[in-house]
Amino acid sequence: MIKKLLLFLFLTMVVSSTAIAKEWQVSPQDNLQQILDSTLSGDVVILSNGTYFGNFSINQAITVRGKQGATIDSQGLGNGLHLHNSNITIEDLTIINWGDDLTEQNSAIYSDKKASNILIQNNQLQGSGFGIWLQKAEHIKVLNNTIIGNSNLRSADRGNGIQLSIVKHVLVRGNNVSNTRDGLYIISSQENVLQNNTMHDLRYGIHYMYSHNNKVLNNLAYNTRAGYALMSSKHLTVSGNTSKNSEDYGFLMNFITSSTITDNVIKNVWTKPENKVLGRDGKGLFVYNSAYNTISNNLINTAEIGIHLTAGSENTKVFGNSFINNPTQVKYVSNKKQEWSQDGKGNYWSNYLGWDMNNDNVGDVIFEPNDGIDKLVWQYPEMKMLMDSPAIVILRWVQKQFPILKPPGVKDSFPLMQSPHQSSKQNNTTSVAAYNKLSDTKH
């Protein structure tokens, strides 16, 4: 009997709560902030077509939704919307012209409270500061927003598209970010998922700092300095992503440990001629001070350097990758030997000249991408002008005849005769299709 009574009271409370929820229809002639302050939890505020000038705060657990043409114009100051509560939904709005003070963290949508259950979806944001700033929050969804920065500002003077700071369990999916500083910036944040986002015309597409147990899945970055800059983090799963037309790095890994980098596509990493200086080359994968990672089944195509490992980047499993059309396939700066194969499976190298007598798709000759001459050139770049000289040819011949003179380096004992990547469309089909749709008319 008591259980039935409690159930009846609970249902009564739910029905009553639903019954008192109110829908507010707002026009530009109304005082929007006054209406927001008058709402109760569960209310829905609907903005009709028109422009709403100012900076607005949301203090209740409500939904704010825009009809087509509903625009918040912050007139170059502060935040567009400042969220002060949990259980808030912001959807179908256009927000423009918020502040550009990066020290004050000016953002189109800003939340720095310990909030949860926030949904931000289907919004159009265009301005100079940060697009969406979320801090100290949990269980957040950021879905299908378009964020455009101010291309008239220097990259360093723009905010990031989506900034996650000290957050957990955030899903960032289906967003399109361009002309900000970095597309998605994640710092000190755990157990988040970044999926199916498109980022272009930026410094870094995705930028990680001090964040662990995150997933980066099926994203697309193009026209960047680095598609994916992964730094000071561990236990990352980075899979199915595409980086195209980067100038410095497809993937930059700096102090990354215990992470998996697999099934990604990296194409066209090349430093522009006007930006060329000694030592600045486009690197498909740059692995710096990173260890105990798995790099497998990736396609690295047309980078000045396919993969560059340095500063103690050891104990890394490298297998099943395709290194195609990279003038320098590997640059490995270390005094320890590295075997780049796993369980009899190595990598595909487009410049491999060995043979396969038993037709098992594995080369019968070990592939070693670098020799002592390469290391000398790395140490003394001015030697490049002597590369075709008789002296260098003799040195290479002597080194082959006396392997004991060969310095430690990378060895692939089971090089693949055919690339596992028959075409880039077989890797991250969704991302490549999105890239083609967005950029074919541009390039």
Side-chain angles (χ1 to χ4, degrees):
M1 183 67 183
I2 295 177
K3 288 183 178 180
K4 290 182 178 180
L5 179 60
L6 290 173
L7 178 60
F8 174 77
L9 291 173
F10 173 75
L11 292 174
T12 301
M13 291 172 62
V14 171
V15 172
S16 299
S17 175
T18 304
I20 63 173
K22 182 177 179 180
E23 185 175 282
W24 301 74
Q25 298 287 340
V26 186
S27 72
Q29 290 73 41
D30 296 322
N31 187 324
L32 176 56
Q33 186 60 62
Q34 188 176 76
I35 291 172
L36 292 171
D37 291 340
S38 301
T39 59
L40 299 174
S41 294
D43 285 359
V44 178
V45 177
I46 300 176
L47 277 59
S48 63
N49 176 39
T51 302
Y52 301 77
F53 294 99
N55 313 104
F56 303 99
S57 295
I58 299 176
N59 301 298
Q60 304 296 331
I62 62 172
T63 294
V64 179
R65 180 182 303 134
K67 292 184 178 179
Q68 186 173 1
T71 301
I72 292 175
D73 184 341
S74 297
Q75 300 177 289
L77 297 172
N79 303 312
L81 291 176
H82 193 156
L83 314 185
H84 295 277
N85 210 327
S86 299
N87 304 301
I88 293 174
T89 295
I90 307 296
E91 58 187 7
D92 301 323
L93 285 173
T94 296
I95 303 176
I96 62 172
N97 199 25
W98 60 90
D100 60 3
D101 191 329
L102 304 186
T103 303
E104 292 298 319
Q105 302 169 1
N106 289 168
S107 308
I109 301 173
Y110 183 79
S111 173
D112 65 342
K113 305 297 182 184
K114 192 174 182 180
S116 62
N117 299 316
I118 292 176
L119 173 61
I120 301 171
Q121 65 178 356
N122 302 324
N123 300 288
Q124 309 287 320
L125 314 176
Q126 185 165 4
S128 300
F130 297 92
I132 298 171
W133 181 293
L134 298 172
Q135 186 166 304
K136 304 177 184 176
E138 294 188 3
H139 302 290
I140 310 296
K141 292 183 179 180
V142 181
L143 311 176
N144 304 318
N145 302 281
T146 298
I147 303 170
I148 303 173
N150 184 354
S151 59
N152 294 321
L153 295 176
R154 292 186 317 146
S155 175
D157 295 331
R158 309 173 200 168
N160 299 315
I162 298 173
Q163 174 123 356
L164 307 179
S165 176
I166 320 175
V167 301
K168 285 186 177 181
H169 307 297
V170 176
L171 172 63
V172 180
R173 187 180 67 205
N175 302 280
N176 189 303
V177 184
S178 62
N179 291 308
T180 59
R181 181 171 57 194
D182 297 339
L184 313 181
Y185 180 85
I186 301 89
I187 183 168
S188 301
S189 298
Q190 325 304 329
E191 300 176 36
N192 306 294
V193 177
L194 312 182
Q195 185 175 20
N196 292 114
N197 301 285
T198 298
M199 303 142 297
H200 57 99
D201 298 288
L202 309 154
R203 182 181 68 165
Y204 302 152
I206 291 179
H207 189 179
Y208 262 92
M209 295 291 294
Y210 311 109
S211 298
H212 315 310
N213 299 299
N214 286 265
K215 294 182 178 180
V216 183
L217 309 173
N218 303 318
N219 300 282
L220 167 65
Y222 63 93
N223 296 348
T224 62
R225 283 183 56 191
Y228 303 82
L230 313 175
M231 304 183 184
S232 302
S233 302
K234 60 185 178 182
H235 299 297
L236 300 180
T237 299
V238 183
S239 179
N241 303 283
T242 297
S243 174
K244 286 175 175 275
N245 298 337
S246 294
E247 185 166 2
D248 292 328
Y249 311 100
F251 282 70
L252 185 160
M253 299 168 61
N254 180 3
F255 196 43
I256 296 296
T257 58
S258 304
S259 296
T260 300
I261 315 297
T262 185
D263 297 309
N264 302 288
V265 173
I266 301 169
K267 293 191 72 174
N268 301 327
V269 188
W270 216 272
T271 302
K272 295 176 182 176
E274 61 269 26
N275 295 331
K276 269 289 186 185
V277 294
L278 190 63
R280 184 177 180 182
D281 302 294
K283 302 170 179 67
L285 279 163
F286 181 62
V287 187
Y288 182 91
N289 194 27
S290 299
Y292 302 100
N293 300 298
T294 297
I295 300 174
S296 64
N297 303 320
N298 303 287
L299 169 63
I300 301 94
N301 189 336
T302 316
E304 289 179 272
I305 298 174
I307 181 169
H308 182 181
L309 287 87
T310 188
S313 297
E314 298 160 359
N315 296 301
T316 296
K317 298 177 182 178
V318 182
F319 62 93
N321 303 285
S322 296
F323 295 92
I324 299 173
N325 195 32
N326 309 303
T328 299
Q329 296 280 37
V330 178
K331 184 175 180 179
Y332 176 65
V333 184
S334 178
N335 292 319
K336 291 188 177 181
K337 295 180 179 180
Q338 289 260 20
E339 172 60 50
W340 280 7
S341 64
Q342 181 83 2
D343 298 327
K345 180 180 182 180
N347 305 273
Y348 175 78
W349 309 91
S350 60
N351 60 329
Y352 176 63
L353 299 177
W355 52 86
D356 177 17
M357 296 295 290
N358 60 356
N359 295 317
D360 64 352
N361 196 36
V362 175
D364 298 337
V365 179
I366 292 172
F367 181 75
E368 295 179 279
N370 305 129
D371 60 17
I373 303 304
D374 292 324
K375 293 206 169 188
L376 281 173
V377 172
W378 300 337
Q379 288 180 293
Y380 308 102
E382 57 272 16
M383 278 187 60
K384 284 185 177 180
M385 66 180 65
L386 303 174
M387 289 304 291
D388 295 324
S389 69
I392 295 298
V393 173
I394 291 171
L395 280 174
R396 288 196 190 275
W397 180 85
V398 169
Q399 185 175 251
K400 287 182 180 179
Q401 303 307 311
F402 301 95
I404 194 171
L405 301 176
K406 193 176 296 183
V410 168
K411 178 176 71 172
D412 185 344
S413 298
F414 302 94
L416 303 178
M417 298 300 294
Q418 293 182 346
S419 168
H421 306 83
Q422 295 302 315
S423 72
S424 60
K425 290 184 179 180
Q426 291 179 354
N427 293 270
N428 200 352
T429 303
T430 302
S431 294
V432 173
Y435 171 81
N436 291 335
K437 181 178 179 181
L438 287 165
S439 63
D440 276 352
T441 58
K442 191 173 182 179
H443 301 290

